[in-house]
Every structure is written in C-alpha cells, then in structure tokens.
Amino acid sequence: QQQVKQSPQSLIVQKGGIPIINCAYENTAFDYFPWYQQFPGKGPALLIAIRPDVSEKKEGRFTISFNKSAKQFSLHIMDSQPGDSATYFCAASTRGGTALIFGKGTTLSVSS
Amino acid sequence: DAGVIQSPRHEVTEMGQEVTLRCKPISGHDYLFWYRQTMMRGLELLIYFNNNVPIDDSGMPEDRFSAKMPNASFSTLKIQPSEPRDSAVYFCASSLSVGTVGGYTFGSGTRLTVV
C-alpha cells in the first residue's frame, strides 16, 4: 500500500499547549486528507479534513496546515485540554477510488 | 441510526479454530470497509465493498482470510484457521463514498485474541 508517514509516535503536552502532529505522503494523486481521533475502546472518528486546493482549514481548536509542494500536512490543536488525550491518525485517499490509507497514529497525552 | 454495529466485541479462540466477525453498516451507506489495527502496523485496510461487491481485497493477508457481504446490511470477515499473529482489533466502517466527503463511520471494533 502507498504509505502515509506520521510523526511523532507519541506526544505529551501540558494543558493549554499546542501539540503538532505531522504527516507526509508520496502519491501526488492523493486529494483528500482527513484526520481521525480515537479514544480507547472506540473506533476512529472523523475530526477534520482538507483538500489540496487550500493551505489551511480550521474547525474550532483544530487546524490542518497543508503544504502541497512538500507533500506534507499537519494537525495543530490549540489550547489543548485533557479531554483531547487520544490517538490521532492522518489519512489520505484519491477521488478515483482508493480507500483511506492511514498513518500509524500518534498517542497524545494532555496533562492537567 | 445506531451507527456501525460489530459483533462480538471480544473474541478469544484457540489456534486453528475458525473465527467469524460480523458487521452491520449504516443504512444507506454504499461502501463497507474492513480494517485491522495493531501496534506495529497501525490501521491496515483489508478489503472494501461497494454495493455489496468486493472492490479491493489486496490487503487481505492470505487465503485464510475471507470476507463476504451477502446484502446491504450485513458483512462477515472469516479467518480459518486462525493463528496467534492474527490477534488484533478488527474494525468495520461504512461510508457514502470511498475516499472523499463525509468520512468513514467506524464501529467499536472486535478485539481478537488467538492463543
């Protein structure tokens, strides 16, 4: 499978900090880049998504930054809270029919 | 809607036994996906269906794995015979599209342990 490389594997921040999770891809045909959030014992849930025609998208405290030339995108969580502690997955797919390919995930812990 | 429903939530079986995982997708979703999650490999796509037809099964590890979707409201993933390396959390997801708007709705998963 074509890869989506995610880093870091784990991240610890204090409440109010701004954790940043990065992803890189190789396939230039990818045109949809979502982030999923997973809590223990649950399935991943869509958090926010971006298309390559924009460089940034914000939804509440969550922001995706997209750099098409570098083939990278990142998730920023503003004013992080203990309730944001979860595993975050980046993913990518193509409009032409490729199912979502996920990164390996980042376990975020926000301490109070 | 109750979301994507998977059963069982947990399964412990002995090596060599047959295991069947079940999934009920969200009504109206034309796409159904089976993923496997492990610490080492993350979330891997095993197979996906469109309108009950398998489209991409390139992620199925080997012939011991098979998946069916006899109708729009039910799918199974079968492992026969099971091996300890099959231990993982298996997720079913459904969506309106394969890779664009709307996102995938995942079930809560089946945690499979093969001893």
Side-chain angles (χ1 to χ4, degrees):
Chain A
Q1 289 183 356
Q2 301 139 335
Q3 287 189 339
V4 176
K5 295 182 179 180
Q6 183 172 347
S7 63
Q9 185 175 352
S10 62
L11 192 53
I12 300 174
V13 299
Q14 289 192 331
K15 179 181 175 182
I18 306 175
I20 300 172
I21 305 170
N22 301 298
C23 280
Y25 63 97
E26 298 174 355
N27 186 356
T28 55
F30 287 148
D31 58 4
Y32 176 68
F33 303 91
W35 285 88
Y36 280 73
Q37 180 187 55
Q38 183 183 31
F39 293 106
K42 302 292 186 182
L46 179 64
L47 186 63
I48 185 173
I50 196 169
R51 293 203 174 279
D53 52 344
V54 296
S55 59
E56 185 177 278
K57 183 174 182 179
K58 288 185 180 181
E59 286 187 6
R61 296 184 294 107
F62 300 91
T63 299
I64 300 179
S65 297
F66 186 83
N67 186 328
K68 188 174 181 178
S69 61
K71 293 186 285 186
Q72 295 176 346
F73 59 110
S74 60
L75 177 70
H76 301 232
I77 306 175
M78 304 301 177
D79 187 28
S80 59
Q81 302 296 313
D84 296 329
S85 298
T87 299
Y88 293 82
F89 294 92
C90 62
S93 67
T94 67
R95 206 177 309 218
T98 305
L100 284 176
I101 297 171
F102 286 86
K104 289 193 175 183
T106 297
T107 301
L108 171 66
S109 178
V110 181
S111 61
S112 55
Chain B
D1 200 320
V4 175
I5 299 172
Q6 291 187 247
S7 64
R9 287 298 311 274
H10 302 274
E11 177 80 37
V12 180
T13 191
E14 292 186 346
M15 181 174 64
Q17 295 298 305
E18 178 180 295
V19 176
T20 300
L21 311 182
R22 296 172 175 80
C23 175
K24 176 179 170 56
I26 290 175
S27 177
H29 281 189
D30 294 330
Y31 291 85
L32 183 140
F33 309 85
W34 284 99
Y35 282 86
R36 178 171 66 177
Q37 184 176 24
T38 60
M39 288 294 293
M40 289 296 294
R41 302 174 70 90
L43 270 169
E44 299 176 280
L45 176 69
L46 299 177
I47 186 172
Y48 82 88
F49 296 82
N50 179 23
N51 291 324
N52 313 336
V53 176
I55 302 300
D56 182 358
D57 65 354
S58 60
M60 296 286 264
E62 47 198 273
D63 291 345
R64 298 185 297 106
F65 285 69
S66 63
K68 294 182 179 180
M69 192 165 185
N71 57 63
S73 59
F74 185 65
S75 177
T76 59
L77 179 67
K78 186 176 295 186
I79 308 172
Q80 166 63 20
S82 58
E83 297 182 2
R85 59 191 169 120
D86 301 331
S87 298
V89 181
Y90 291 80
F91 287 102
C92 174
S94 69
S95 75
L96 292 169
S97 69
V98 65
T100 56
V101 297
Y104 296 179
T105 301
F106 282 79
S108 294
T110 295
R111 180 174 296 276
L112 173 65
T113 303
V114 183
V115 298

